[in-house]
Amino acid sequence: MANVENLGKLERRVTISLPRDLVEKEVDSRIRQLAKTVRMPGFRPGKVPLKMVSQQYGGQVHAEVLSDKVGKEFFDVTRAENLRVAGQPSFAPKVEGGEDQFAFDATFEVYPEVKLGDVGTAEIERTVTTISEAEVDRTLYILRKQRVHFHARGEGGDGGANTAAQNGDRVMLDFVGKIDGVAFEGDTANDFAFVLGEGRMLPEFEAAATGMKIGEERTFNLKFPDDYHGKDVAGKTAQFTLTMKKIEWPHLPEVDADFAKSLGIEDGDLTKMRGEIKDNLKREVKRRTQQIVKNQVMDALLKISELDVPKALIEQDQERLVEMARQDLQQRGVPNAADVPIPAEMFAEQAERRVKLGLVLAELVKANELQAKPEQIRAEVDEFAKSYEDPKEVVRWYYSNQQRLAEMEAYVVESNVVDFVLSKAKVTDKEVSFEEASATAQA
């Protein structure tokens, strides 16, 4: 029976002892096996003298044998003692092992006892959002703006009698800028086009262009912000001269059969189009409100649960978060993202929460049999696939990859947890608009 020392709430230590002759015998066996295939200059394969093989590879083989046998012995000890090891153990050789033994101290952490509180004491404010025809109209307006096209005044439906540049118009102009009478980088452009009101240009620039007419020239002063990305001009005041060359008004497409067809409604039926938009909005708001409620449920579970968190698991999760951050930088096209220093410490708080929540959820799922059932997973995949043009292809895509299916399974388990907590907790409903729900979910 091994002697397991208690070094703290979760930290343990156990001594692993191995008979020296057993280790040496295994080392000798592996070297003899290696000698059958090893290659060395001047010798045919398998004909290298055993002594030379031992001199060349003995240290490496000895280390491998010790690692293998210590690892197996540690596994046997922890299994016999019914210890759930969290993370990887660290091994340190003991000098007092004796001439006939190798001895190592294995230091490790165990999984904590998770004390779940009374879920019935949790207070949850459930967000409820109703999709009205007004939300459908707002979405239609956004879709129309995405398909806007521009015309000169008097074309494509007129655009009004006012020929001066207005908010929403697309203008084309030449500009020249100088600071104290001296040119600077980016000070001049010809046929420069942008849409007024989109915020692409500095406010003073847009304000000066607004109200101008074709052929008009206007001079104004513009102070660059102190934190402007162009460091050479940041905080300085420049004098710009604008010459308006073209003004086009924005024409939104009409909501007609052609517009419906452009959204994928083959027969151009406007009622069907509005129905599909409403269904999509319902799915979207369901996803967002579920995320809001899920966050509240997770916060509530952490508040009512008691446990110590293994440092080893936190460190592992910090490494995962660092790698995820690095991959995100690479996807954003950041130069040398693979070499950018990302301190693991910046993720310490996030990692601790993630690990703690994972342990709490695992205990709750086990205690209340909240595992994902195959039919639940399929129903969720089918629901997700509805928002795509070819739902069957999306379903096949999920079921052709175990990792993607595992992610969906994890999502279903979380949903089961949320439903379970909501069935027990003190829940109050709060009606919010679609915009509020969107903003809260993204916060």
Side-chain angles (χ1 to χ4, degrees):
M1 185 69 69
N3 179 29
V4 180
E5 297 179 71
N6 191 331
L7 304 181
K9 292 180 178 179
L10 300 176
E11 195 172 22
R12 305 287 186 268
R13 182 169 61 205
V14 65
T15 298
I16 304 294
S17 298
L18 299 171
R20 189 176 292 270
D21 60 348
L22 183 66
V23 173
E24 298 300 344
K25 183 178 179 181
E26 178 65 21
V27 170
D28 182 67
S29 174
R30 292 194 187 186
I31 288 178
R32 289 181 182 278
Q33 189 66 31
L34 181 63
K36 295 178 181 180
T37 56
V38 73
R39 293 175 179 271
M40 283 190 184
F43 296 95
R44 286 180 295 159
K47 298 299 182 180
V48 181
L50 192 63
K51 185 176 181 180
M52 293 185 66
V53 176
S54 182
Q55 288 174 341
Q56 180 77 16
Y57 297 102
Q60 177 184 335
V61 172
H62 192 274
E64 290 175 354
V65 170
L66 276 180
S67 177
D68 292 347
K69 289 195 171 298
V70 168
K72 181 180 183 305
E73 187 68 16
F74 176 77
F75 173 78
D76 291 342
V77 167
T78 53
R79 183 176 60 177
E81 297 292 329
N82 197 28
L83 296 172
R84 296 177 61 223
V85 180
Q88 294 295 321
S90 62
F91 297 98
K94 294 185 71 170
V95 178
E96 61 271 21
E99 293 184 1
D100 61 341
Q101 285 190 332
F102 290 104
F104 295 85
D105 276 338
T107 305
F108 57 98
E109 289 181 289
V110 295
Y111 276 91
E113 177 188 359
V114 179
K115 296 180 180 178
L116 296 172
D118 182 4
V119 177
T121 63
E123 296 183 1
I124 307 294
E125 187 177 70
R126 181 167 51 195
T127 299
V128 178
T129 300
T130 303
I131 300 300
S132 67
E133 292 303 311
E135 269 75 39
V136 176
D137 289 336
R138 275 192 286 270
T139 302
L140 273 172
Y141 179 69
I142 293 171
L143 292 170
R144 292 172 70 201
K145 285 191 69 175
Q146 291 172 349
R147 291 160 174 77
V148 67
H149 39 96
F150 293 88
H151 301 281
R153 291 279 187 264
E155 294 181 4
D158 187 9
N162 187 356
T163 58
Q166 305 168 37
N167 198 42
D169 285 351
R170 183 170 65 185
V171 299
M172 179 187 292
L173 47 76
D174 297 340
F175 68 79
V176 176
K178 294 183 179 180
I179 297 177
D180 296 330
V182 180
F184 57 91
E185 185 177 354
D187 65 332
T188 303
N190 293 319
D191 296 338
F192 183 77
F194 65 97
V195 177
L196 290 171
E198 287 189 347
R200 178 183 170 190
M201 308 299 293
L202 290 172
E204 296 91 337
F205 198 102
E206 288 208 2
T210 301
M212 291 182 67
K213 295 185 177 182
I214 295 175
E216 184 179 348
E217 185 177 283
R218 181 173 293 177
T219 300
F220 68 102
N221 291 330
L222 184 152
K223 184 181 183 302
F224 289 98
D226 294 335
D227 59 352
Y228 191 68
H229 59 82
K231 295 182 180 179
D232 292 340
V233 300
K236 298 179 181 179
T237 299
Q239 187 178 68
F240 278 91
T241 298
L242 308 182
T243 302
M244 185 63 67
K245 300 179 74 175
K246 191 175 184 181
I247 301 172
E248 296 175 305
W249 69 282
H251 179 211
L252 298 179
E254 299 298 325
V255 181
D256 53 18
D258 288 336
F259 182 77
K261 290 177 182 178
S262 74
L263 297 180
I265 309 300
E266 294 183 0
D267 60 2
D269 188 288
L270 297 184
T271 301
K272 187 184 296 183
M273 176 195 69
R274 292 184 66 91
E276 288 205 6
I277 291 175
K278 193 168 189 176
D279 288 342
N280 286 334
L281 287 175
K282 285 180 179 178
R283 280 192 287 270
E284 178 66 14
V285 80
K286 179 183 177 183
R287 183 187 66 80
R288 292 180 178 181
T289 52
Q290 282 178 337
Q291 183 63 43
I292 296 169
V293 172
K294 188 185 87 169
N295 291 341
Q296 290 193 44
V297 167
M298 300 308 165
D299 288 341
L301 287 174
L302 289 177
K303 286 180 182 178
I304 64 174
S305 302
E306 294 182 23
L307 71 156
D308 297 305
V309 185
K311 295 177 183 177
L313 297 185
I314 295 176
E315 290 170 357
Q316 286 179 3
D317 203 61
Q318 282 178 276
E319 292 175 4
R320 278 192 289 269
L321 291 171
V322 167
E323 185 56 32
M324 288 168 60
R326 197 177 302 283
Q327 290 176 1
D328 181 62
L329 291 177
Q330 290 174 333
Q331 290 173 356
R332 293 171 183 266
V334 175
N336 303 317
D339 302 318
V340 173
I342 305 177
E345 294 73 24
M346 67 186 293
F347 297 109
E349 186 176 340
Q350 183 183 357
E352 181 174 359
R353 174 185 165 85
R354 280 161 52 101
V355 171
K356 188 174 182 180
L357 193 54
L359 294 171
V360 170
L361 291 181
E363 186 65 26
L364 189 70
V365 169
K366 179 183 175 183
N368 298 279
E369 298 183 352
L370 301 176
Q371 295 84 356
K373 298 179 177 61
E375 58 269 23
Q376 288 181 305
I377 298 173
R378 179 55 191 259
E380 203 61 50
V381 170
D382 288 343
E383 179 65 23
F384 181 79
K386 285 181 181 177
S387 57
Y388 288 84
E389 186 176 345
D390 189 350
K392 289 183 179 179
E393 178 60 26
V394 175
V395 172
R396 188 204 63 78
W397 181 78
Y398 264 103
Y399 279 87
S400 65
N401 184 286
Q402 284 301 315
Q403 183 178 345
R404 289 192 286 262
L405 207 57
E407 291 172 356
M408 185 60 77
E409 181 180 359
Y411 175 81
V412 172
V413 170
E414 285 190 348
S415 298
N416 289 347
V417 168
V418 170
D419 291 342
F420 174 78
V421 173
L422 292 178
S423 71
K424 306 288 185 183
K426 301 172 183 176
V427 181
T428 56
D429 289 342
K430 178 185 178 182
E431 182 80 30
V432 300
S433 68
F434 180 78
E435 289 74 18
E436 290 175 308
S438 301
T440 305
Q442 294 170 4

